[in-house]
Amino acid sequence: MSSLAYPYEENIYTLYSNANCPFAQRALPQVPHKVIEIDLTNKPDWYHLVNPQLKVPALRTPSGTILIESLVLSEFAADQFPDSHLLPSDATERAQLRLFVEIFSSRIIPNIFGSLRGTNAKEIEEKKAALLAGLKEVNDELVKQWERIGGDGALWLGDKVSLAEVNTVSFYNLLVAVEHYRGFAVPDTDEFAAFHKWAAAFTKLPAYTEFRVDDDQAINKMKKFVPEAN
């Protein structure tokens, strides 16, 4: 019988995370918690007791329930702490926000990694084209959202942080690596003006600045995904 046990903090939330993982960075906004750092290159022997998939983040609630997957955790935090106002109270507005996060998650994130992992020019160009198309979709969703809510704010909910930012902005810094290794940059044109306006606003937020690394670190962090750089 195994004598292994996993560490946790009594009576508060315990987050198992890694400061360099953009997926983990979007978990548990505005929730009091204790962080246990997980070395992704040398995971503790006990970590399978927390998450059998051995991924971060994972969350242990004060009652002992363990939850996994970053999007699940951020939604849990928004539901558990409604005063954070990370999700709109209106069901239609929540659905629109979730659609935005889905577009970002399915069109931007995989194509950032895909363009870096490409092994030939054709594959790389296809992923870069898909990334550009995804960024245009994100831009257009922002335009539609700001038309719906009015005002001069530059975040999804105008001047309030929401899960639209919490669930996406940790990946923005990775674009510098795509520019470095693949020569890709978001065009500075009217077509992408809303995206640039949004980025200028969220890059001032603690949800971004607390985890952002400088460009050289971001480039070095993503090097492992680039076949010809290893």
Side-chain angles (χ1 to χ4, degrees), residues 95-97 99-101 103-104 134-148 156 194:
Q96 290 163 337
L97 184 153
L99 174 62
F100 177 77
V101 172
I103 289 171
F104 193 101
L135 288 162
K136 183 63 168 61
E137 285 188 72
V138 166
N139 182 91
D140 293 349
E141 286 298 316
L142 288 165
V143 171
K144 288 190 285 187
Q145 170 67 1
W146 293 336
E147 288 174 350
R148 286 192 292 259
W156 180 261

Side-chain angles (χ1 to χ4, degrees), residues 3-42:
S3 60
L4 280 178
Y6 65 89
Y8 61 89
E9 195 77 7
E10 292 278 4
N11 303 318
I12 66 168
Y13 293 93
T14 304
L15 180 67
Y16 304 87
S17 188
N18 180 277
N20 292 316
C21 175
F23 293 94
Q25 288 166 6
R26 60 187 180 182
L28 282 205
Q30 302 183 23
V31 176
H33 60 276
K34 162 80 172 179
V35 175
I36 294 180
E37 187 77 6
I38 302 299
D39 183 346
L40 298 181
T41 63
N42 185 25

Side-chain angles (χ1 to χ4, degrees), residues 101-113:
V101 172
E102 169 58 26
I103 289 171
F104 193 101
S105 298
S106 61
R107 315 283 206 277
I108 306 300
I109 298 172
N111 289 311
I112 287 175
F113 287 95

Side-chain angles (χ1 to χ4, degrees), residues 105-178:
S105 298
S106 61
R107 315 283 206 277
I108 306 300
I109 298 172
N111 289 311
I112 287 175
F113 287 95
S115 62
L116 294 172
R117 286 184 169 124
T119 56
N120 58 71
K122 181 175 182 292
E123 181 183 4
I124 291 168
E125 290 305 312
E126 286 175 350
K127 295 298 184 183
K128 286 165 61 177
L131 177 56
L132 186 66
L135 288 162
K136 183 63 168 61
E137 285 188 72
V138 166
N139 182 91
D140 293 349
E141 286 298 316
L142 288 165
V143 171
K144 288 190 285 187
Q145 170 67 1
W146 293 336
E147 288 174 350
R148 286 192 292 259
I149 65 174
D152 299 321
L155 301 174
W156 180 261
L157 292 181
D159 58 358
K160 296 183 294 185
V161 179
S162 72
L163 287 191
E165 285 77 39
V166 169
N167 285 337
T168 59
V169 302
S170 59
F171 297 90
Y172 176 75
N173 195 211
L174 304 185
L175 288 171
V176 70
V178 186

Side-chain angles (χ1 to χ4, degrees), residues 52-96:
Q53 298 178 30
L54 298 179
K55 298 191 298 183
V56 293
L59 175 71
R60 184 188 189 276
T61 71
S63 67
T65 301
I66 292 178
L67 304 172
I68 61 173
E69 297 296 338
S70 57
L71 291 178
V72 172
L73 299 191
S74 63
E75 288 246 355
F76 169 80
D79 288 338
Q80 191 76 353
F81 297 88
D83 288 347
S84 66
H85 302 294
L86 292 170
L87 278 173
S89 58
D90 179 79
T92 300
E93 292 176 9
R94 288 198 302 274
Q96 290 163 337

